[in-house]
Amino acid sequence: MIERHIIPELRRIVGDVGLLTAPEQLRTYESDGLTSYRVVPGVVVLPASTEQVQGIVRVCHRERVPFVARGSGTGLSGGALPHAKGVLISLARMNKILSVDLPNQRIVVEPGVINAHVTQRVATQNYYYAPDPSSQSVCSIGGNVAENSGGAHCLKYGFTVNHVLGLTVVMPDGEIVHLGGATLDQPGYDLPGVFVGSEGTLGVATEITLRLIRKPEAVQMIMAAFHSTDHAGGAVSEIIAAGMLPAAIEMMDHLSIQAVEQATHAGYPTSAGAALLVELDGPTAEVDALIDRAEEICERNGAWQVRRAATADERLLMWKGRKAAFAAMGRISPDYYVQDGVIPRTALPRVLRRIDELAEMHGMRVANVFHAGDGNLHPLVLYDGDVPGAAERAEEVASEILTACVDAGGSITGEHGVGEDKKKHMPKMFNEADLDTMNRLRCAFDPNLLSNPGKVFPTPRLCGERPGPRREHPLVAAGVAEIF
Amino acid sequence: MVVEQATRESMAALVGPEHVETARDADAVDGVRPAFVVEPANAAEVAAVVAHADHHGLAIAPRGGGTRMTWGNIPARLDLIVSMRRLDQLLEHADGDMTATVQAGITLQDLNDRLAERGQFLPLDVPRADLATIGGLIAVNDSGPLRLRYGGIRDLLIGATIVRADGAIAKGGGKVVKNVAGYDLPKLMIGALGTLGVIVEATFRLYPLPATNQSLAWESGTPEVAGAFILAVLDSTLVPTGLTLRWSTSAGSTLLLRLTGIEPSVLAQRDQALALAQAHKLGEPWRLDASDWSGLHAELLSHECALVARCSVLPSEIPALIRMLEDVAEQESLEVSAVIQAHGLGLVRATPKGTGDVAASLRAACMELRKRLAARGGTLIILAAPLAVKQRLDVWGPAPDALPVMQQIKARFDPNGSLNPGRFLGEHA
């Protein structure tokens, strides 16, 4: 339960319309897209402006009450999991596009703006916003900033961080600062670079300057059916080795194809062991020549069917199938647990075999959907939550998959973030010195650890006083705590 | 002298006596001469050297090829240069994964020569690539015309290992292109001028070397005509790997455009570009070759000159920037030249024509430019200038409102202020 006396003060800041305290209202915020973690927040506020966010955060800072910022709640790592004694700040009402500057390819938005709405706003003028997570029709830019969201097209176009130029941020003490700006290489440290992807632990972004991209002259896409993921993986390697940089290369295995086809009827070859989507964009002469080569490469690697999208609609249907893959799992399994490991592309066959072994060993089914171009796997461990112990077994398989990814030289998360769910896996990638260095950054922004506390780091850490030369932390001096 | 002798002995014990040298005049940074230049062999030796220096209150400046040592404010103190010259290995070129991991002291040229053996490259085109090291380039965040297509170092660097002031060796990021685990520490090192840690290792995403390239140039008339052409190219479906405006008070302005890729695409894009140029009444183009590009910036940096600065403006403000340069050149009687990229980053060189108070006129020019740029969201950072200018002017310009956060980061990474003290933003004496 939250300290009741701050409620009237929060009400004065956001008004009745921006304050939720009834238990049934609070419960709708108890989890994000990863529903296995649930915490009912102390109170929910829905500010409408940077100043209101500042007011809320100042109260939190003064009272040492933790706060968690939340966009659309589509995250898959429990990053927006509320704090039981804290304030949940929903940015959903801050959903205005503030300005568009097409000649300079910039757009300034509030954090609650939906990802797809950015593109919709400039589409008729032939521009778009590149990062396209599968949840783009509902996820918010603020959430994308927190998670450094990717999507299918980041192989060529990069992630959210590559498209954020500047941010207005309410710091955890309530100060408003501007990180970066509309022009490149502002003097000082690259604070947009570290803020993006900090999972809500460094403050609350209230205005975001994004880069827009000119639509390419041509886009072409093929879908190729293979007997196995090994064959499809061979084609991916050869496409890359040929010096092509496709806009996207996506792979689905047999189980995923089944689920997706049942759900979307996108025309996926249901008897295939693996399907590959390859999209190329750029100047027409380049795309026309390279799509032919990609087709040849697929055929040479054993593709028994290659279909080229003849129209934009057909291409969108192919994408619809891929983007609906997670949701489609409901067709073949009551529940699933999705992972987000990354491996060097060349380790794909080895790691996929390891996933098969793990699935067999634990008697589980694992469907694989992945961004094959950049090695980002999304293994979906299928289980039935009504079977006692099944959820735990699924999580165990998923955990071992992550170990296999890290062992192959990869990462525990490519785009979903660490959040609550994967913080225990951080030591697989980072040692104490690495984590301590990250914590120093955290403490520079948030010495009282109020902004989304308890996420990302595997163990709670101290910040200590504002550092001066050689001052020992009082708890360390007293022998109560150790320096990490 | 006793302290110096003790330091020399300690350093010699850590890296071997043959890798500790008494500093020479050429090792001075803006006139501040260190006692020693130390050349560690690996990350562990860097860590030992830095930890020792930090513990004994010695000020450190990391150094790569030494090509950009004038960047930053005048050092407040300097005892030790930690040269990264011996950490010059390409540790891994994973061509199938299009990544490479290097030691910080490898030169850009050496790296790209090696990557080219397997048809790939790190798309950074900066002057003095033969001397400039990867670690140094990360620290100063330099970039060239290729940034338009491939992004800057922040878009290419995917992992880094640093030695912190206390000697801890820490890494961030990783070896895969897509990775959001933990804070992005590598980004924090970009442009930080070595004030948060000494970069010892870096991993980059790479790109395939383009099969062919063609470059065109036009006399571009007024800055407004050039600016309109630049915006038209940005608004087109052309995908240039360089679009640059070269301008000077004496020689007017030239537009340069580079197209790369497979041949049919380059030829088709060239025809589109020619049509666009004609619509903008640019006149007859001529062909350029690769050396015209590599020479662009070198021209500005290599000459003994009075002041070099980096400007950043919105692409639409490029003509306004040129007009500002014309004005201050006139007001302060300067010879000014500039190379400005379509993405809005430009290098400016100013040399006084007369002999009066040279420093005063350069300072006045910088202040005037800063004032007028700020009104349009632009910035100006001084990269090299006479000491009389740097003593009285913060090379970074006015501090942003996020300065307290930056100072907190510095205080937590380097509590004793051992790494490049005095040189960064907000530290001008």
Side-chain angles (χ1 to χ4, degrees):
Chain A
M1 212 46 193
I2 193 150
E3 305 287 337
R4 300 303 306 186
H5 69 277
I6 70 166
I7 303 271
E9 201 173 351
L10 293 175
R11 190 185 306 277
R12 273 196 298 279
I13 295 165
V14 294
D16 286 335
V17 61
L19 186 81
L20 306 177
T21 54
E24 65 276 12
Q25 289 174 315
L26 298 181
R27 208 169 304 123
T28 53
Y29 291 89
E30 68 183 358
S31 74
D32 60 13
L34 185 63
T35 52
S36 47
Y37 296 92
R38 292 167 199 262
V39 173
V40 178
V43 61
V44 175
V45 287
L46 295 107
S49 67
T50 298
E51 288 67 33
Q52 288 189 5
V53 174
Q54 179 178 43
I56 295 160
V57 172
R58 275 189 177 150
V59 171
C60 291
H61 177 250
R62 191 191 67 218
E63 300 291 329
R64 298 296 190 260
V65 171
F67 58 88
V68 177
R70 173 187 166 112
S72 301
T74 56
L76 291 168
S77 58
L81 186 72
H83 196 288
K85 292 182 176 173
V87 177
L88 185 89
I89 305 173
S90 165
L91 282 314
R93 285 171 71 206
M94 292 182 67
N95 59 0
K96 288 189 288 298
I97 291 176
L98 299 173
S99 66
V100 182
D101 177 4
L102 280 187
N104 292 307
Q105 310 182 346
R106 269 55 162 179
I107 189 166
V108 183
V109 304
E110 290 186 327
V113 168
I114 302 303
N115 174 298
H117 293 178
V118 180
T119 291
Q120 280 164 25
R121 175 64 177 267
V122 294
T124 55
Q125 289 119 314
N126 290 319
Y127 282 85
Y128 72 106
Y129 175 62
D132 63 337
S134 292
S135 55
Q136 70 186 118
S137 59
V138 284
C139 66
S140 72
I141 294 296
N144 292 174
V145 165
E147 302 301 315
N148 189 16
S149 303
H153 290 85
C154 40
L155 172 63
K156 181 167 179 180
Y157 291 100
F159 320 94
T160 301
V161 70
N162 307 109
H163 299 271
V164 171
L165 293 155
L167 302 138
T168 302
V169 168
V170 175
M171 294 285 291
D173 63 359
E175 286 298 304
I176 294 172
V177 299
H178 299 84
L179 314 183
T183 54
L184 299 178
D185 294 352
Q186 302 258 332
Y189 299 133
D190 183 358
L191 297 187
V194 290
F195 189 90
V196 176
S198 62
E199 307 198 24
T201 61
L202 303 183
V204 184
T206 58
E207 276 184 29
I208 303 139
T209 303
L210 302 172
R211 187 199 305 276
L212 295 169
I213 306 274
R214 178 65 167 80
K215 272 189 197 161
E217 188 176 24
V219 185
Q220 295 256 25
M221 183 160 173
I222 53 173
M223 175 161 56
F226 296 84
H227 291 297
S228 73
T229 52
D230 271 7
H231 288 99
V236 173
S237 293
E238 206 176 313
I239 286 169
I240 299 293
M244 285 184 226
L245 184 61
I249 310 183
E250 300 285 307
M251 200 195 294
M252 279 181 274
D253 71 355
H254 182 71
L255 259 182
S256 310
I257 297 168
Q258 300 294 317
V260 161
E261 194 51 28
Q262 281 181 40
T264 65
H265 308 291
Y268 283 48
T270 49
S271 60
L276 211 55
L277 301 176
V278 182
E279 185 177 271
L280 290 164
D281 69 10
T284 306
E286 179 182 309
V287 172
D288 285 351
L290 295 183
I291 201 80
D292 287 346
R293 279 185 72 189
E295 245 186 64
E296 282 165 34
I297 289 171
C298 285
E299 280 160 5
R300 194 159 54 237
N301 282 275
W304 48 265
Q305 188 194 96
V306 182
R307 249 180 60 204
R308 196 182 293 202
T311 63
D313 284 346
E314 209 177 314
R315 182 162 53 80
L316 290 179
L317 186 62
M318 285 183 184
W319 271 122
K320 191 179 157 205
R322 166 59 188 88
K323 294 205 171 190
F326 290 4
M329 289 303 149
R331 303 283 173 144
I332 57 168
S333 174
D335 299 285
Y336 66 86
Y337 188 90
V338 61
Q339 275 300 10
D340 180 39
V342 189
I343 53 170
R345 186 167 36 229
T346 48
L348 203 57
R350 185 155 48 96
V351 174
L352 287 182
R353 270 193 295 277
R354 175 71 186 142
I355 292 175
D356 282 348
E357 275 170 30
L358 286 167
E360 202 170 319
M361 207 157 69
H362 293 266
M364 310 287 284
R365 289 189 303 163
V366 180
N368 277 300
V369 183
F370 40 86
H371 308 301
D374 48 35
N376 187 191
L377 309 177
H378 290 312
L380 297 136
V381 185
L382 309 178
Y383 68 97
D384 182 349
D386 290 340
V387 176
E392 290 73 18
R393 279 217 311 284
E395 210 198 317
E396 201 184 320
V397 172
S399 169
E400 288 185 47
I401 290 172
L402 287 191
T403 303
C405 291
V406 175
D407 287 349
S411 168
I412 57 171
T413 175
E415 57 187 358
H416 295 174
V418 176
E420 179 70 23
D421 185 45
K422 289 188 276 291
K423 62 184 188 182
K424 61 179 175 292
H425 299 301
M426 284 286 279
K428 288 177 180 167
M429 282 183 75
F430 298 110
N431 65 24
E432 267 311 306
D434 307 335
L435 292 169
D436 171 60
T437 307
M438 290 180 195
N439 192 51
R440 287 171 187 236
L441 180 66
R442 169 83 203 266
C443 293
F445 278 80
D446 183 16
N448 300 301
L449 302 175
L450 296 176
S451 193
N452 208 8
K455 312 286 171 64
V456 182
F457 290 93
T459 48
R461 272 154 208 276
L462 303 171
C463 275
E465 301 293 306
R466 185 197 161 101
R470 288 177 222 303
R471 205 162 35 184
E472 213 171 0
H473 191 285
L475 290 179
V476 177
V480 178
E482 283 178 49
I483 293 195
F484 294 102
Chain B
M1 278 327 276
V2 177
V3 175
E4 284 203 6
Q5 191 50 38
T7 302
R8 175 184 275 277
E9 281 166 17
S10 309
M11 290 297 156
L14 296 173
V15 301
E18 67 277 29
H19 301 299
V20 183
E21 284 190 26
T22 304
R24 297 173 211 157
D25 285 344
D27 297 312
V29 179
D30 279 328
V32 183
R33 188 167 153 172
F36 304 110
V37 177
V38 183
E39 295 194 340
N42 51 47
E45 285 191 10
V46 174
V49 166
V50 170
H52 179 91
D54 183 60
H55 190 74
H56 289 86
L58 302 175
I60 305 157
R63 186 174 78 188
T67 57
R68 288 154 175 84
M69 292 302 278
T70 63
W71 298 24
N73 286 317
I74 300 169
R77 302 178 288 130
L78 179 55
D79 301 298
L80 216 60
I81 281 181
V82 179
S83 164
M84 304 301 286
R85 221 182 51 136
R86 292 169 72 207
L87 282 84
D88 62 353
Q89 296 300 301
L90 167 59
L91 298 174
E92 185 188 12
H93 177 194
D95 57 332
D97 300 315
M98 289 210 291
T99 61
T101 300
V102 300
Q103 287 186 314
I106 191 171
T107 65
L108 177 60
Q109 180 81 59
D110 188 16
L111 173 60
N112 269 333
D113 287 348
R114 301 277 300 279
L115 299 177
E117 290 166 13
R118 286 185 247 165
Q120 296 178 351
F121 77 133
L122 177 65
L124 263 182
D125 50 349
V126 297
R128 301 183 215 169
D130 57 330
L131 290 174
T133 62
I134 291 302
L137 290 172
I138 294 169
V140 299
N141 189 22
D142 204 0
S143 62
L146 284 175
R147 182 157 179 176
L148 182 64
R149 161 68 185 83
Y150 298 99
I153 292 176
R154 76 192 302 276
D155 305 296
L156 300 166
L157 182 70
I158 57 173
T161 304
I162 61 160
V163 168
R164 235 164 44 193
D166 62 1
I169 299 176
K171 66 178 181 305
K175 288 187 174 179
V176 283
V177 168
K178 200 170 179 183
N179 174 17
V180 295
Y183 296 142
D184 197 340
L185 293 177
K187 291 235 174 20
L188 198 55
M189 299 300 136
I190 300 170
L193 207 70
T195 56
L196 298 180
V198 180
I199 303 155
V200 290
E201 213 175 286
T203 303
F204 291 94
R205 70 173 296 181
L206 306 174
Y207 282 85
L209 274 168
T212 56
N213 74 73
Q214 269 205 27
S215 293
L216 298 168
W218 297 266
E219 291 295 343
S220 57
T222 66
E224 288 72 22
V225 169
F229 179 73
I230 287 171
L231 291 186
V233 172
L234 294 180
D235 188 42
S236 75
T237 54
L238 294 170
V239 192
T241 48
L243 175 57
T244 304
L245 177 63
R246 187 172 61 190
W247 168 89
S248 75
T249 39
S250 54
S253 53
T254 312
L255 275 163
L256 299 87
L257 176 76
R258 177 171 53 198
L259 300 162
T260 52
I262 58 171
E263 198 171 6
S265 166
V266 169
L267 296 178
Q269 288 190 70
R270 184 197 60 189
D271 292 344
Q272 285 176 42
L274 289 172
L276 212 51
Q278 212 162 26
H280 284 79
K281 303 192 167 42
L282 286 187
E284 280 306 301
W286 67 93
R287 289 274 291 266
L288 294 174
D289 58 37
S291 64
D292 291 312
W293 287 95
S294 56
L296 260 183
H297 277 168
E299 208 173 279
L300 289 192
L301 289 180
S302 66
H303 291 78
E304 206 42 55
C305 64
L307 182 136
V308 178
R310 178 160 74 193
C311 290
S312 181
V313 295
L314 288 169
S316 65
E317 301 287 351
I318 290 171
L321 171 61
I322 300 288
R323 293 297 185 198
M324 289 177 212
L325 294 175
E326 283 176 351
D327 290 350
V328 297
E330 169 96 35
Q331 280 161 25
E332 303 296 336
S333 187
L334 302 170
E335 187 73 45
V336 179
S337 52
V339 172
I340 301 164
Q341 311 302 340
H343 46 269
L345 283 173
L347 271 187
V348 175
R349 180 172 68 131
T351 320
K353 285 180 190 159
T355 50
D357 188 344
V358 168
S361 59
L362 289 172
R363 270 202 310 272
C366 284
M367 282 156 66
E368 173 70 10
L369 281 173
R370 272 186 182 152
K371 195 176 81 194
R372 291 175 62 177
L373 283 168
R376 293 162 177 269
T379 56
L380 178 143
I381 298 171
I382 297 167
L383 305 182
L387 281 182
V389 173
K390 291 182 79 166
Q391 278 156 356
R392 302 221 355 229
L393 210 56
D394 190 327
V395 300
W396 303 100
D401 60 13
L403 180 65
V405 195
M406 297 183 192
Q407 288 172 329
Q408 267 294 304
I409 296 172
K410 170 70 176 174
R412 294 197 183 258
F413 275 66
D414 179 20
N416 301 319
S418 303
L419 297 169
N420 263 334
R423 293 181 70 191
F424 205 56
L425 184 73
E427 294 189 307
H428 188 261

